Amino acid sequence: MAYRGSVNIAPFTRIAARMSVADRILPATLAKKLGYQHIFLHGRNSLANRQHLVTEHSAGHVSQGDALPFLQSVRDSLEGISVGGWCMEVGKAMWRNSLPDTIDDTEICAQQIARNYGEPLNSSAIA
């Protein structure tokens, strides 16, 4: 989409221990074919002082896996906006037919999003 829209991006792949071979090869190959420079990011040792920041920011409601790029300072060298994680789901408009067209009632919308993610309706994440 970025290529077709003439948007200048800097694609990267964060190397993770359990990622597939395809996830290691395909992003760099696609970037090269489209004329983008692709980089691989490797994590460093977890920084203890960052765990406190994750807990404080998320009230303890974030998985270790989701926090890992921050804990390992993987993206610290990047400039600009770093979109990680759910880009694929946003791009394909996941749950397109299960979310409301408008957000007239934020509580109802939050409950619907929670249901889509399998989050219990009594979860503090809904707040």
Side-chain angles (χ1 to χ4, degrees), residues 45-124:
N45 292 329
S46 295
L47 302 173
N49 61 337
R50 288 189 172 203
Q51 181 62 55
H52 167 72
L53 294 172
V54 169
T55 303
E56 184 178 309
H57 176 75
S58 67
H61 295 283
V62 65
S63 73
Q64 187 73 9
D66 287 342
L68 202 56
F70 177 74
L71 292 173
Q72 294 181 333
S73 63
V74 170
R75 298 180 182 138
D76 286 5
S77 64
L78 300 178
E79 294 182 15
I81 298 171
S82 170
V83 182
W86 288 85
C87 298
M88 171 76 115
E89 305 309 336
V90 172
K92 71 177 187 179
M94 187 172 189
W95 305 305
R96 178 182 329 212
N97 298 321
S98 63
L99 294 177
D101 292 331
T102 61
I103 303 175
D104 299 321
D105 185 325
T106 55
E107 185 175 337
I108 291 172
C109 186
Q111 290 173 357
Q112 184 62 46
I113 291 170
R115 273 194 290 278
N116 288 340
Y117 277 95
E119 187 74 18
L121 293 181
N122 62 352
S123 168
S124 61

Side-chain angles (χ1 to χ4, degrees), residues 5-60:
S6 299
V7 176
N8 186 22
I9 61 168
F12 66 89
T13 300
R14 177 178 66 91
I15 299 296
R18 295 177 53 189
M19 72 188 307
S20 70
V21 173
D23 284 342
R24 292 173 187 252
I25 295 172
L26 294 177
T29 302
L30 178 60
K32 183 177 180 179
K33 286 185 185 261
L34 296 176
Y36 291 112
Q37 180 181 352
H38 177 274
I39 59 172
F40 288 98
L41 299 177
H42 300 272
R44 298 179 221 142
N45 292 329
S46 295
L47 302 173
N49 61 337
R50 288 189 172 203
Q51 181 62 55
H52 167 72
L53 294 172
V54 169
T55 303
E56 184 178 309
H57 176 75
S58 67

